[in-house]
Amino acid sequence: MLLTKGNQIYKNDKPFFYLADTCWSAFTNITLNEWKYYLDYRASQGFNVIQINILSQWDASKATFELLPFPITHNKNHYSYDYSKPNLKYFARAEKMLQMVREHNMIPALVLLWSNYVPDTWAGKIAFNNHFAYDELENYVSFVTEKFKRFSPIYFVSGDTDFPTEKAINYYEKVFEVAKQHDPDALYSFHIKGRLAELPEQFYKKIDFFSYQSGHNFAGQKTAFSIPFDLRKKGFTHPIINTEPCYEQISYSRNIYGRYTARDVRQASWSSVLSGAGAGITYGAHGIWSWHQLGQKFGLVAGEGFDFPFDWRDALHFNGANDIAYLKKIVSSLFENGIEPVDVLLKKEITIRVGSDPQRKRYIIYLPTNTNLDVSNLGLNDENSHARVFYLDERTSHPLNYLNKTLLQMSRAQADSIIVLEKED
């Protein structure tokens, strides 16, 4: 059973670092044989959560088979679901897939209602599908939570949403209320749109952790650290997780040329974890979340505007997933009691992020570009501390010496690195 204490998540009374992979399109796009291969591989890397959209992902790649959650009627470019008639075959198959997740000792994180199903949201305004009627929500949410609660999921009440009107807010209030009635022991959060930094006030007291996404907009990458850091300064004490940093090899949104590399993903992830979002992190590969098959159609240009994904077989083996598993290994072994952001500016550079354990005995610094580093602002020097550097591209670590009393020498890292400093008794 999962629960939250302070800024961390616990499982069976032990700290649980949420390391998720993004597989929004699982229920509609993946064969059971593919699903087993995928779960085997991610479990071997150390992932412990899989994020899934319960319903059809609006910008998924085209599936090689058609199995949908509700009967569908096509009308040129638009389509309508009959939300009153859940497809029992679809949901029975979803149950099998969730059982397989649990058999791999992983936890499903399920999105109850993505934004394209809700009127007035940014996606609801451009989606090709019909919206849920408000009166249909209770039956749907009751049905899926009763069916899936035996798998002990985490729930995202929303998917990639904003909250532009009272009508949209009321939809999510209803979803939250009904889900909690049927599965009161689960953890709940909201998956919100990229770079959005807040929820409607009434939801803060109800959520178990705050979920945000720094997302895929090139100009918005600093929100990976600015959103959790600002939330902590405002006094938010519950766990925070960046559940959608930039995906590896996804293009910059809005049809801008270029793709995010494994190094970009590392920077977004480490920056999040050291800036207040230390309860976990989510990884995504461009080709996995949409479950893309080579030659199939992909997505919606009217949405975020992404370039084509890689085939899922290639995307599954992107090396960046191992980088994020390495992040989990370092944090879980050295900062079991959590990481708190440290409000200090090193080298006058905001992208150098600093965290510490709650007792300020051990510090951790993310260094995007190699340089020597003065740590006097942390009260550290060559007499009261020792340092170790972790080369993130190589996943190796080495002792790091002081050049003078407070200046750490530059390491041999040719990419980004982590420096851990420990105070001596």
Side-chain angles (χ1 to χ4, degrees), residues 110-173:
L110 304 177
V111 177
L112 288 163
L113 201 62
W114 206 271
S115 53
N116 62 294
Y117 295 99
V118 178
D120 298 344
T121 63
W122 76 273
K125 292 176 182 177
I126 60 176
F128 296 153
N129 60 275
N130 60 319
H131 301 142
F132 266 85
Y134 183 82
D135 292 341
E136 294 169 323
L137 294 175
E138 183 166 0
N139 286 340
Y140 159 66
V141 176
S142 301
F143 175 76
V144 294
T145 49
E146 283 295 327
K147 188 166 283 290
F148 294 153
K149 67 181 181 181
R150 66 188 177 96
F151 304 110
S152 302
I154 296 166
Y155 291 105
F156 291 116
V157 177
S158 62
D160 201 20
T161 200
D162 54 357
F163 304 92
T165 64
E166 283 298 315
K167 186 175 185 179
I169 294 171
N170 289 340
Y171 264 62
Y172 287 122
E173 280 191 307

Side-chain angles (χ1 to χ4, degrees), residues 23-29 53 55-63 79 114 116 286-293 296-300 308-309:
C23 201
W24 299 133
S25 310
F27 292 163
T28 56
N29 284 46
N53 187 354
L55 301 179
S56 302
Q57 180 71 22
W58 73 315
D59 52 357
S61 298
K62 183 172 177 54
Y79 53 92
W114 206 271
N116 62 294
H286 194 39
I288 293 297
W289 70 271
S290 65
W291 207 257
H292 190 70
Q293 306 265 6
Q296 296 289 345
K297 293 181 179 179
F298 161 70
L300 294 172
F308 259 75

